[in-house]
Amino acid sequence: MPLRPSCDILPSEITPPEIYRERRRFMLGMGVLAASATLGVAPDVQAGTRLAGVRSSAYTLGDEKTPYKAVTTYNNFYEFGTGKSDPADNAGSLITRPWTVTVEGEVGKPGVYDIDSLLKLAPLEERIYRMRCVEGWSMVIPWVGFPLSELIRRAAPTGKAKYVEFVSLNDPRQMPGQRSGVLDWPYVEGLRLDEAMHPLAILAVGLYGEVLPNQNGAPIRLVVPWKYGFKSAKSIVRIRFVEKQPLTAWMRAAPQEYGFYSNVNPQVDHPRWSQAKERRIGEFLKRDTLMFNGYGAQVAQLYRGMDLQRLF
Ligand code: MTE
């Protein structure tokens, strides 16, 4: 199991944004990204471009935001390698236009959505969320996105739809990490339908007011802030409504370590390390991890009567 329990950020692991952008400009100049150009990538969908018409929302926090450079250079995205800087170094090969998301399964209105139509599906909002990785670190990220419930409502789930499965892109030509067997690809995640409908669950298309960088899951990813970060699947191509609980990539890899629910819970340790505390990236001292990552007032009722030790 490759996840590291301790992952404190080292200054040497951070690529400053100027250098990152310079590297990207250099790659563009060299024609490394020319393939994306011929496939019709509009310059205005590149990471770093400001998203127009983003509304502020009630989802703000008193906590200081994690700096952009840490959010975009300290990542988990195993499709691009297991090192924290691998996604920022390697995800330039991901082509995010054209891109479609297939909505299927137990729904009255299945469909194939083009990413640019998804950007217009609902007003884009900024949502500043605490994010807690199962490895023991956390960040505060200003996402840009829209409620997942907006898409679900349009799909009109049938009475049989009990769960929603999210499938990430599976393309080893673009995703060098998929040439290794570190996980059984594609990356799959899932939520119970009522969790997916919760107003806190969003589909994110940006951060810090800009188009989502590839390493953060461009062009569209899930963000579920009361659960460990691995539930927030990146670069989604398929959303399937199903009757049975989906088998997620992490449950397939290590079922004794990763449960379906994966709610942030300081009282239930990972079999190999405590979940009681976390290191906020950029801070020195650890802080206490909060039940449901601090979102208990909003989400605890989803789990009323459940044994959270057993259904971890
Ligand atoms: N989605 C895919 N497709 N592949 C991954 O490896 N890693 C997960 C999650 N989504 C992952 C993924 C994990 S472990 C975390 S902590 C978050 O993405 C990290 O998101 P961030 O890099 O944007 O902070």
Side-chain angles (χ1 to χ4, degrees):
M1 241 298 309
L3 278 186
R4 289 180 292 166
S6 159
C7 27
D8 303 336
I9 195 158
L10 299 172
S12 60
E13 287 188 287
I14 299 176
T15 308
E18 320 78 62
I19 294 181
Y20 172 71
R21 289 194 180 127
E22 196 46 53
R23 198 185 287 162
R24 202 177 163 90
R25 243 174 265 132
F26 172 76
M27 284 164 75
L28 276 166
M30 294 294 286
V32 174
L33 302 180
S36 34
T38 52
L39 282 167
V41 178
D44 62 348
V45 295
Q46 301 290 356
T49 304
R50 287 210 79 72
L51 283 159
V54 177
R55 311 203 294 206
S56 54
S57 77
Y59 299 90
T60 57
L61 290 174
D63 310 30
E64 208 173 306
K65 286 181 271 184
T66 303
Y68 178 89
K69 68 177 175 184
V71 174
T72 58
T73 58
Y74 191 77
N75 302 103
N76 277 334
F77 199 172
Y78 279 18
E79 285 88 334
F80 294 102
T82 55
K84 289 288 173 279
S85 55
D86 289 348
D89 287 342
N90 301 330
S93 55
L94 178 66
I95 298 166
T96 58
R97 292 294 189 290
W99 189 281
T100 57
V101 177
T102 301
V103 176
E104 61 181 20
E106 289 297 340
V107 285
K109 293 184 185 151
V112 179
Y113 290 81
D114 181 75
I115 184 64
D116 292 310
S117 70
L118 281 174
L119 285 171
K120 296 184 205 109
L121 188 93
L124 296 181
E125 288 177 17
E126 177 163 272
R127 299 277 190 108
I128 303 178
Y129 282 165
R130 260 175 248 114
M131 304 298 290
R132 170 64 156 79
C133 179
V134 73
E135 297 166 322
W137 49 270
S138 63
M139 297 194 189
V140 174
I141 304 182
W143 299 108
V144 176
F146 59 89
L148 173 59
S149 63
E150 294 279 354
L151 184 137
I152 296 178
R153 239 176 357 93
R154 283 168 178 77
T158 70
K160 280 189 177 167
K162 298 282 185 281
Y163 296 90
V164 191
E165 180 182 82
F166 302 86
V167 184
S168 299
L169 181 68
N170 187 13
D171 185 352
R173 285 168 307 167
Q174 296 185 56
M175 297 178 140
Q178 288 183 332
R179 294 172 213 153
S180 89
V182 55
L183 282 175
D184 213 347
W185 309 107
Y187 195 94
V188 172
E189 258 309 333
L191 296 172
R192 222 170 50 194
L193 183 60
D194 59 341
E195 298 180 306
M197 285 297 291
H198 193 280
L200 278 170
I202 60 168
L203 286 169
V205 296
L207 55 82
Y208 269 103
E210 298 179 352
V211 169
L212 202 59
N214 289 358
Q215 60 270 33
N216 293 93
I220 189 160
R221 54 112 27 109
L222 189 60
V223 176
V224 194
W226 70 95
K227 292 177 178 282
Y228 292 115
F230 64 86
K231 296 297 286 182
S232 295
K234 295 177 166 182
S235 304
I236 291 170
V237 292
R238 193 174 297 277
I239 299 178
R240 191 200 307 261
F241 292 77
V242 292
E243 205 172 350
K244 296 218 172 72
Q245 185 177 290
L247 179 60
T248 70
W250 283 108
M251 290 172 78
R252 194 190 278 263
Q256 65 294 347
E257 301 197 4
Y258 302 102
F260 179 77
Y261 286 95
S262 298
N263 292 314
V264 173
N265 188 341
Q267 290 148 27
V268 177
D269 289 340
H270 184 280
R272 291 186 285 126
W273 61 83
S274 164
Q275 293 292 21
K277 289 186 177 288
E278 68 198 58
R279 190 183 305 284
R280 182 69 52 84
I281 294 299
E283 292 181 356
F284 181 68
L285 293 175
K286 287 193 175 177
R287 40 168 88 211
D288 289 341
T289 285
L290 303 173
M291 188 66 201
F292 297 116
N293 203 23
Y295 296 100
Q298 292 97 313
V299 303
Q301 91 282 354
L302 291 171
Y303 309 104
R304 195 170 295 143
M306 279 173 56
D307 176 354
L308 300 181
Q309 295 274 342
R310 195 172 64 82
L311 297 167
F312 61 91

